[in-house]
Amino acid sequence: MVKNMVIFGPPGSGKGTQISEMKKYLPLTVIASGDIARSLAKKDKAVAQKMHKGELIEDELIFGELEATIAKIDQDTSLIFDGFPRNLDQTELLNKLLFRINRRLDKAIYIYLDEEEVIKRLAIRKVCEQCGRPLFSESKCPDCGGKPTVRGDDNESTIIKRMQVFLDKTAPLIEYYGSKNILVEIDGKQSIEKVAEDIKEALLEW
Ligand code: AP5
Ligand code: MG
């Protein structure tokens, strides 16, 4: 059955990692607003500067690209939004978009993690320079063969700012999706395998 989900949480909480885990048992199309932002930043210096500072970029910019992406997606595929919405205005944009394309949001997965662990993880993270997938000790990406690189926004001051932005702008989504009865709260401090298991268990309730 086709399902539509949002996954959100602080920087480094494991959103990208857990989507890779979910794809092992669920056919999923991923729409990652961070990837959209990174591709916009290549053409737009103002976007690159905002990202470098750890700030959100304008809703309209992200949403315009997201709408264009979604227009090309097959109706029969399940969707997961990684890092979108990021504030309450974006929840409304998403609601209207899903309504227009005849879908509804089934679950909002919130992975929680404390700041100390966020900083610890992101200080050592490497990602694939081509597709952005987090890498461990691999010398090249198992998905696309790209080389490991450090993300431009993974320095301590930017990580702290991203965490602050999460608390100020994104954390209100917890109450919002809670009130819609679609919130799934997951402890992100556990092992990758245990987090994946908890998410799978919550999704199997469908
Ligand atoms: P985005 O790319 O979405 O970044 P983020 O939210 O800061 O999150 P990350 O991608 O850094 O972390 P993650 O949760 O995916 O963790 P990961 O799985 O990699 O956004 C970047 C920027 O784009 C924003 O700051 C903003 O400027 C802009 N932007 C994006 N969306 C926007 C929007 N909607 N509106 C406006 N602006 C927007 O894991 C992290 C590390 O931890 C990895 O090394 C991984 O191996 C490790 N790890 C994962 N899980 C575990 C575990 N359980 N135990 C131990 N290690 C673990
Ligand atoms: Mg990510």
Side-chain angles (χ1 to χ4, degrees):
M1 198 193 288
V2 173
K3 294 290 175 190
N4 307 296
M5 292 164 279
V6 156
I7 188 162
F8 70 105
S13 53
K15 303 180 289 292
T17 304
Q18 290 304 324
I19 288 174
S20 297
E21 295 295 315
M22 290 164 78
K23 282 167 96 176
K24 292 178 186 168
Y25 59 89
L26 206 64
L28 265 185
T29 296
V30 184
I31 299 183
S33 56
D35 291 345
I36 292 176
R38 278 181 285 280
S39 102
L40 286 171
K42 287 187 189 150
K43 305 171 267 183
D44 186 333
K45 221 170 158 188
V47 170
Q49 279 169 350
K50 282 205 160 179
M51 289 182 76
H52 192 68
K53 286 195 244 164
E55 293 168 4
L56 295 184
I57 65 172
E58 284 75 10
D59 295 347
E60 301 71 34
L61 276 178
I62 286 281
F63 190 66
E65 293 292 319
L66 194 138
E67 258 187 317
T69 310
I70 222 165
K72 297 177 207 144
I73 288 170
D74 201 320
Q75 272 295 332
D76 301 335
T77 178
S78 290
L79 286 182
I80 187 157
F81 295 88
D82 173 358
F84 187 91
R86 209 77 165 205
N87 58 38
L88 289 174
D89 287 343
Q90 292 187 4
T91 61
E92 290 309 319
L93 290 171
L94 182 62
N95 290 345
K96 286 183 192 150
L97 174 65
L98 290 176
F99 181 76
R100 254 194 346 258
I101 61 171
N102 231 346
R103 290 176 181 260
R104 71 184 174 107
L105 197 59
D106 298 290
K107 293 272 184 221
I109 303 164
Y110 165 45
I111 306 181
Y112 54 91
L113 192 67
D114 60 81
E115 185 173 70
E116 197 184 328
E117 183 68 18
V118 164
I119 294 172
K120 216 161 77 188
R121 282 186 192 177
L122 294 186
I124 56 163
R125 174 173 63 174
K126 295 259 172 60
V127 297
C128 168
E129 65 176 3
Q130 286 182 43
C131 71
R133 174 197 163 124
L135 299 175
F136 294 96
S137 51
E138 302 100 322
S139 57
K140 58 181 189 174
C141 175
D143 285 350
C144 72
K147 289 196 205 119
T149 186
V150 173
R151 239 169 70 175
D153 55 353
D154 278 352
N155 60 79
E156 190 166 334
S157 61
T158 309
I159 297 166
I160 291 170
K161 173 69 181 176
R162 283 156 64 199
M163 185 71 192
Q164 197 55 53
V165 169
F166 172 80
L167 295 172
D168 292 346
K169 306 266 170 66
T170 313
L173 268 58
I174 304 165
E175 202 180 321
Y176 175 80
Y177 286 126
S179 72
K180 307 246 174 238
N181 288 320
I182 57 169
L183 183 72
V184 174
E185 294 185 84
I186 304 284
D187 179 0
K189 212 165 173 173
Q190 312 173 93
S191 68
I192 292 177
E193 296 72 25
K194 181 68 174 78
V195 176
E197 225 173 83
D198 285 1
I199 292 178
K200 191 173 182 183
E201 206 172 293
L203 298 187
L204 288 179
E205 284 167 13
W206 280 335

